[in-house]
Amino acid sequence: MTPEVVSIVIVGVGGQGILLGTQVAARAALAAGFDVKTNEVHGMAQRGGSVIAQIRWGGKVYSPLVPDGTARALASLERIEALRFARFLAPDGLAVVSNQAIVPVTASSGRGPKYPADAEERLRRVFPRLLYVDAIAIAEKLCEPRTANIVLLG
């Protein structure tokens, strides 16, 4: 067993399965014999707000919190949420981002900032190692669209 602590961050919008995906990843690491800690923040998740989950595993993990710039991977079920939480990813880390766009009500109603039309371009500028995927289409081919969270974990 490696003493190194591995950190990943999973982000998205409430209802996308971030918490379930976190449980799956944590249970897999635990089954592999690692010490595992998780943390999630889902304050306004039921209203379509941001959700972030942090998973850390290794020989001994003392905190579930992922320090900025240290995550080996950032998995995002919504493309703008990846930009919101980019600070967690290590410089050589991998960003796995679904191309799904979930436009906030404030943006669609015209009461807030517009949803960026150039999201993919922004992602490519911010993440040198980017895997930009249509997770929903892949999930539909495998079984059904609600498993896009598991597609991104894979």
Side-chain angles (χ1 to χ4, degrees), residues 70-115:
T70 64
R72 186 172 291 173
L74 171 70
S76 181
L77 287 153
E78 201 283 336
R79 57 194 189 180
I80 296 302
E81 292 301 315
L83 294 171
R84 182 187 315 272
F85 295 105
R87 71 181 182 278
F88 287 104
L89 192 61
D92 63 340
L94 175 65
V96 182
V97 180
S98 174
N99 67 354
Q100 184 176 15
I102 299 177
V103 180
V105 173
T106 54
S108 63
S109 68
R111 290 183 283 137
K114 291 185 179 189
Y115 191 91

